Amino acid sequence: MSSDQQYGYGEQPYDPYGQQPGQSYPQHQPQYQDPGTTQTWQGQTWDTQYQPTVAPAADETAYLPQQPAAPLPPEAPVAYQEPAAAPASPAPSGAEPGPAYSAPTTSGNTRITDAQRARAEGRSPIIDPGIQPAGLTAVLGVLLAGGAALGPYALLVPLVLLQAVTAAGWFRLNGMWPARQGIALAFAGGLAADAALLAAGRDNAPAAIIGTLGVWVLLTLVLQLRSHADPDERMYGLMATVASAALTILAAGHLGADPDAVVVGGLAVAVATVARALPLPTPVSVVVALLAAAGAGIAAGGFTGFGAAGAGLGLGTGMCALIGLRVAAYDYPSRFVHMTAGVALPLTAAAPAVYLLGRALA
């Protein structure tokens, strides 16, 4: 049966939304469609007898009487519990308990360095390099002794390494890093002193070293005058650069000294630094290191022309090595300082003693 036969021509079908004949919905108003309304297919025709279930309109449900809200049950009081403190890590044996430092946050706490923390806790500013830098110093001292026994050009290889580590370590010991220009300038001064010594010979070693040092001090002054930094910073950089260049140039004294004196001095410094790094009280460690240096001097003097006089040379170079270690241990040094200045300064500080005592005792 078609829809025309059911309602008749000209009649309007039943409108579930109450629309009057001749009345149309506005085009912008969406019509409601029940998602549950479906049309069933039977044979070849549409079943128009099925009438959809009409959901109540939104304007009819908007004015439903509101139900009075039931009062909420009273809240039960909650007892405040303090947060449990985290278990503190056990302090090492022999160490005094100190204040705990938390990790830095965004609420105002800032990260501090190990030196700042040690200074705030009132700990000693002296931190000895330890056994690992002492072992590297011993290896470098043995290389210097072996190179001196073979010849000046064989000695030049470990000497250049010593000068490079001295230049970098002194700048970092003074808290200036990175200072590539200053390190390069000081290292170039050491290379210039080596070249002057090879050209002038051992007899003219003092003139070659002092002349190179004077030229490099003047060059450092000229470069610092062209700097645009603050006056205080320029003065600080000038002093650090001059001191670094002076130490690097003085290390060339190993090349100008007597080869036998370099052998005795290198072995004495190697033994003294290792003995100083032993876990002993400081006074006992110093005495043991000096006695070990003197003994190494006697032993090395037996293989060279010094003989028993090697004890005095070994003792003098050992004292200079301990001074270099003390300088490298000052003012809360970092590990980088220990692995550079702590390795090089004992041998660098012993260079003048090797040259002077070697000429006096030979």
Side-chain angles (χ1 to χ4, degrees):
M1 176 184 298
S2 65
S3 60
D4 293 341
Q5 294 176 354
Q6 179 181 1
Y7 297 102
Y9 181 77
E11 296 182 3
Q12 298 294 332
Y14 172 75
D15 188 358
Y17 299 100
Q19 180 184 1
Q20 300 297 327
Q23 181 181 0
S24 61
Y25 287 101
Q27 296 297 327
H28 64 274
Q29 180 178 1
Q31 298 183 7
Y32 177 82
Q33 182 178 358
D34 187 7
T37 304
T38 57
Q39 290 180 335
T40 60
W41 177 262
Q42 294 181 358
Q44 303 295 328
T45 60
W46 290 95
D47 185 9
T48 57
Q49 299 298 327
Y50 173 77
Q51 300 296 332
T53 302
V54 181
D59 55 353
E60 296 179 2
T61 61
Y63 299 95
L64 292 177
Q66 298 182 357
Q67 300 294 332
L72 296 176
E75 297 182 357
V78 180
Y80 174 75
Q81 297 181 357
E82 295 185 357
S89 57
S93 59
E96 298 180 357
Y101 291 87
S102 61
T105 62
T106 58
S107 60
N109 294 334
T110 58
R111 186 181 297 275
I112 62 176
T113 62
D114 294 339
Q116 292 173 341
R117 177 178 299 178
R119 189 177 292 109
E121 294 176 356
R123 288 186 286 171
S124 173
I126 303 299
I127 303 176
D128 294 324
I131 190 63
Q132 188 174 1
L136 295 177
T137 303
V139 171
L140 193 55
V142 171
L143 291 177
L144 286 174
L150 295 177
Y153 290 97
L155 175 61
L156 188 63
V157 176
L159 178 60
V160 170
L161 179 59
L162 173 63
Q163 291 171 329
V165 179
T166 301
W170 184 260
F171 270 91
R172 192 64 186 95
L173 182 62
N174 286 268
M176 301 183 66
W177 186 265
R180 298 181 181 90
Q181 293 182 354
I183 293 174
L185 182 62
F187 180 59
L191 295 181
D194 297 341
L197 279 170
L198 291 176
R202 290 192 180 94
D203 295 336
N204 299 317
I209 292 176
I210 295 175
T212 305
L213 181 59
V215 171
W216 246 251
V217 170
L218 180 61
L219 182 59
T220 304
L221 285 172
V222 172
L223 292 178
Q224 289 296 328
L225 288 176
R226 298 182 59 186
S227 175
H228 299 285
D230 296 335
D232 294 339
E233 186 177 353
R234 278 190 294 175
M235 181 60 66
Y236 190 66
L238 173 64
M239 298 303 297
T241 306
V242 169
S244 179
L247 289 173
T248 308
I249 293 172
L250 286 178
H254 290 287
L255 191 60
D258 184 82
D260 292 340
V262 177
V263 172
V264 175
L267 295 178
V269 171
V271 174
T273 52
V274 173
R276 180 65 180 85
L278 296 177
L280 298 173
T282 301
V284 177
S285 177
V286 170
V287 173
V288 170
L290 293 178
L291 292 177
I298 295 175
F303 298 99
T304 60
F306 279 90
L313 179 59
L315 182 62
T317 54
M319 293 178 61
C320 293
L322 295 185
I323 293 174
L325 283 176
R326 184 70 171 184
V327 173
Y330 183 69
D331 197 18
Y332 307 100
S334 63
R335 179 172 175 80
F336 185 86
V337 174
H338 283 168
M339 298 304 293
T340 53
V343 172
L345 286 184
L347 290 168
T348 301
V354 169
Y355 179 81
L356 295 176
L357 291 178
R359 294 178 61 91
L361 298 175

